[in-house]
């Protein structure tokens, strides 16, 4: 498994193909101390370099209070909850990025998990685009306009689930993106510069926690963060499809996604059936 290889294996508007270029739904940087980049933008104990009017201190205090006494594996989920508390969003999730595929690690609620899984199945949406580009992708209105046109299938499914805005921030350093912090809300609207700064602080702390978790996982003999996400079945299934049909890795993954999309299922559910030999994808 390779993290942050800069590739995206998903469709534009459907389950085959890849996203078209970098983000257009919002700024590609952040405000002071913004969401791009890794943990160097602020100390691990709390955000730094913020708005400078006392709000940065209150943000730091809230974050520290919410993650105090947490076990390492609990911190990403706690930070997602902090993001929902501090920002005008209704849900949050963290997805890891392995071989261009987003793998959900944690989510605050069922709807946030559903939105993450939809984007994994489609290989398209703000979160895969942020992971591929390494820059924030801010889709403030999925009901109409350029965001809905850019991701028509995802926008339709997101709004059907009651989500109108998605804000995806990359996790990692400027060179390597290991995943995304994905924020959702049920109303349209942009995040303010201060809100983007706060989201960036949370993203940097998630990056720090993932780095620690990856190091611990490897010391325990696991495959880094991939085992933490428990989604390696997608890659196993793609490998089996490659062998069965004599096709390449990208085509196998695209076929797996297309089958899941056509049958209204998640790519993970279909992958588990393929790995368990309960389903075989034939040539079409």
């Amino acid at each position: 498994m390779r993290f942050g290889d800069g590739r995206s294996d998903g469709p534009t508007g459907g389950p085959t193909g890849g996203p078209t270029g970098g983000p257009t739904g919002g700024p590609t940087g952040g405000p002071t101390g913004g969401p791009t980049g890794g943990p160097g933008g602020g100390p691990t104990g709390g955000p730094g370099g913020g708005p400078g009017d006392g709000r940065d201190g209150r943000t730091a205090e809230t974050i520290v209070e919410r993650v105090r006494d947490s076990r390492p594996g609990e911190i990403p989920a706690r930070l997602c909850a902090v993001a929902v508390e501090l920002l005008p969003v209704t849900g949050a999730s963290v997805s890891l990025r392995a071989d261009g595929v987003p793998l959900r690690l944690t989510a605050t609620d069922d709807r946030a998990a559903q939105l993450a899984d939809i984007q994994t199945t489609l290989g398209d949406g703000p979160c895969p685009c942020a992971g591929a580009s390494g820059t924030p992708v801010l889709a403030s209105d999925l009901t109409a306009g350029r965001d809905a046109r850019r991701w028509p299938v995802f926008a339709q499914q997101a709004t059907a689930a009651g989500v109108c805005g998605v804000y995806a921030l990359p996790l990692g350093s400027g060179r390597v993106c290991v995943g995304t912090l994905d924020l959702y809300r049920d109303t349209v609207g942009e995040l303010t510069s201060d809100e983007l700064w706060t989201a960036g602080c949370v993203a940097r702390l998630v990056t720090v926690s993932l780095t620690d978790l990856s190091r611990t996982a490897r010391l325990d003999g696991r495959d880094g963060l991939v085992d933490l996400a428990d989604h390696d079945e997608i890659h196993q299934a793609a490998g089996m499809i490659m062998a069965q049909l004599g096709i390449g890795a990208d085509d196998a993954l695209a076929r797996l996604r297309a089958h899941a999309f056509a049958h209204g299922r998640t790519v993970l559910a279909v992958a588990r059936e393929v790995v368990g030999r309960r389903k075989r994808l034939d040539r079409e």
Side-chain angles (χ1 to χ4, degrees), residues 12-104:
T12 298
T16 58
T20 55
T24 58
T28 57
T32 304
T36 58
T44 59
D53 60 357
R55 280 172 290 182
D56 53 336
R58 291 193 294 274
T59 297
E61 290 173 2
T62 300
I63 293 173
V64 170
E65 178 64 28
R66 298 300 182 268
V67 301
R68 180 177 289 128
D69 300 326
S70 299
R71 293 192 296 269
E74 298 173 341
I75 292 178
R78 294 281 185 94
L79 290 172
C80 283
V82 168
V84 174
E85 179 179 352
L86 295 176
L87 297 166
V89 298
T90 53
S93 64
V94 169
S95 291
L96 308 178
R97 179 175 169 78
D99 292 332
V101 178
L103 311 174
R104 174 169 53 83

Side-chain angles (χ1 to χ4, degrees), residues 3-183:
F3 281 93
D5 59 1
R7 294 186 295 121
S8 181
D9 299 300
T12 298
T16 58
T20 55
T24 58
T28 57
T32 304
T36 58
T44 59
D53 60 357
R55 280 172 290 182
D56 53 336
R58 291 193 294 274
T59 297
E61 290 173 2
T62 300
I63 293 173
V64 170
E65 178 64 28
R66 298 300 182 268
V67 301
R68 180 177 289 128
D69 300 326
S70 299
R71 293 192 296 269
E74 298 173 341
I75 292 178
R78 294 281 185 94
L79 290 172
C80 283
V82 168
V84 174
E85 179 179 352
L86 295 176
L87 297 166
V89 298
T90 53
S93 64
V94 169
S95 291
L96 308 178
R97 179 175 169 78
D99 292 332
V101 178
L103 311 174
R104 174 169 53 83
L105 177 63
T106 187
T108 55
D109 55 79
D110 290 343
R111 185 162 61 176
Q114 178 186 4
L115 265 290
D117 291 345
I118 287 172
Q119 292 177 91
T120 298
T121 298
L122 295 176
D124 195 28
C127 308
C129 288
S133 66
T135 56
V137 177
L138 313 176
S140 58
D141 186 0
L142 291 170
T143 66
R146 65 179 181 180
D147 294 333
R149 290 193 300 270
R150 183 178 182 190
W151 304 289
V153 177
F154 168 70
Q156 181 183 33
Q157 296 200 8
T159 54
V163 172
C164 299
V166 178
Y167 317 93
L169 288 80
L171 304 173
S173 67
R175 295 185 302 274
V176 178
C177 177
V178 300
T180 55
L181 170 66
D182 310 316
L183 309 173

